[in-house]
Amino acid sequence: VVLAVCAGFQLLGESFPGPEDTVVAGLGLLDARTTRGPWRRAVGDAAAEPLAPEPCPAELALAAELLTEAGLLVGFENHGGATTLGSGLAPLGRVRRGRGNDGTGAEGAWAGKVLATYLHGPVLAQNPQLADALVALVTGQRPEALPDEEEQALRRARLDALGL
């Protein structure tokens, strides 16, 4: 199970921009390519509606349920790349605020037990449902409910700041 954030997302893809407009080969775990975006760097609070992969394999169903039942994912994006997903790669979410991968509405990626996002955060502290989904991918079981009032307050503050 892998959670890749920002440059980690780019590194897991096929390629990403290097110095002086060179192209650097990624690890190839995700069918995604990152180029320099034609816009100013995306910096600010962001939110995305989580999406389950379609079709959703049985081994991912519990994680998808946990991820999508709690509502929006929130975080702070800070990137200048434009990441294009290959035809077989599902987005992790649909952008509600911010730029996401490349300005087309996709945020992050989901390929089996590899999840990637441009939402910094701390992304897990602001999105307990994402942490639960990762635990479910590892164990195959719904995690035991833990007190998360502080995390939910942080999450609510981010949603309020976005007017969502």
Side-chain angles (χ1 to χ4, degrees):
V1 175
V2 175
L3 172 64
V5 179
C6 198
F9 179 9
Q10 295 175 5
L11 181 64
L12 293 185
E14 298 293 333
S15 62
F16 57 92
E20 300 177 20
D21 293 324
T22 59
V23 176
V24 178
L27 296 175
L29 294 178
L30 297 173
D31 183 11
R33 286 159 189 76
T34 302
T35 58
R36 293 197 195 287
W39 45 68
R40 293 179 62 148
R41 187 170 194 82
V43 178
D45 288 319
E49 175 187 346
L51 300 171
E54 293 288 334
C56 188
E59 66 270 12
L60 304 180
L62 177 58
E65 177 185 328
L66 291 166
L67 185 63
T68 58
E69 71 186 9
L72 297 175
L73 295 168
V74 296
F76 188 87
E77 64 181 348
N78 181 0
H79 66 96
T83 300
T84 304
L85 304 183
S87 61
L89 190 56
L92 182 63
R94 182 178 307 112
V95 174
R96 292 284 301 274
R97 291 284 194 281
R99 182 174 300 137
N101 296 351
D102 61 359
T104 62
E107 199 312 293
W110 186 336
K113 293 185 177 185
V114 177
L115 283 75
T117 183
Y118 275 116
L119 298 174
H120 294 234
V123 69
L124 294 177
Q126 292 188 99
N127 299 285
Q129 76 271 33
L130 178 56
D132 287 349
L134 292 169
V135 170
L137 287 172
V138 171
T139 66
Q141 299 176 17
R142 181 179 287 272
E144 179 182 335
L146 298 172
D148 64 359
E149 291 81 15
E150 290 178 4
E151 292 83 357
Q152 291 300 341
L154 176 61
R155 177 180 162 68
R156 184 71 255 159
R158 299 297 7 112
L159 288 168
D160 288 348
L162 289 165
L164 297 172

